[in-house]
Amino acid sequence: MQGFAGFMWLLSIALIIFSGFALFDAAVRREDAYRAADKKTKPFWLIILGLAFVVNLLFPILSFLPIIGLIATIVYMVDVRPAIRSLPGGGRSRRGSSSDGPYGPWNGGR
């Protein structure tokens, strides 16, 4: 029984890390990237993935709710994330440089 309990503990930790990574990834993507990829909104995915993360922290792996959270996390990772990453700029939030113009970086005529 100790071997099974240890395996379930490792599986639970892996699930928490997986859902935490998906939540972090969803948080750093731009809001407009979700609309451009024709996916649900950023707040929708943050709520769903945040709930999945909390459920994975609170409930044992063999209960019903972590399985639903795992499904939501997998949907984000295999459907939403690749669609957002395929957009120009990868959907990441980034701040422009002070030398960036409206059409890209200004290189001084070089």
Side-chain angles (χ1 to χ4, degrees):
M1 281 310 268
Q2 286 181 344
F4 181 71
F7 174 73
M8 293 308 286
W9 181 80
L10 285 175
L11 191 61
S12 177
I13 294 298
L15 193 57
I16 290 168
I17 291 170
F18 184 55
S19 62
F21 174 76
L23 178 62
F24 176 77
D25 186 72
V28 298
R29 302 293 173 181
R30 293 190 330 248
E31 168 67 34
D32 60 338
Y34 289 87
R35 290 189 306 267
D38 198 27
K39 302 298 176 187
K40 296 282 186 187
T41 63
K42 181 176 181 173
F44 172 83
W45 282 109
L46 289 176
I47 290 169
I48 294 296
L49 294 172
L51 287 173
F53 182 73
V54 170
V55 162
N56 289 330
L57 284 175
L58 298 179
F59 292 97
I61 189 80
L62 291 177
S63 65
F64 188 69
L65 291 175
I67 294 171
I68 294 173
L70 175 63
I71 292 170
T73 305
I74 289 172
V75 167
Y76 175 80
M77 293 298 285
V78 300
D79 183 38
V80 178
R81 185 172 186 252
I84 292 173
R85 289 185 71 192
S86 69
L87 297 172
R92 289 240 179 218
S93 298
R94 60 188 171 109
R95 300 188 192 272
S97 169
S98 63
S99 66
D100 285 354
Y103 304 109
W106 184 76
N107 60 9
R110 290 180 236 164

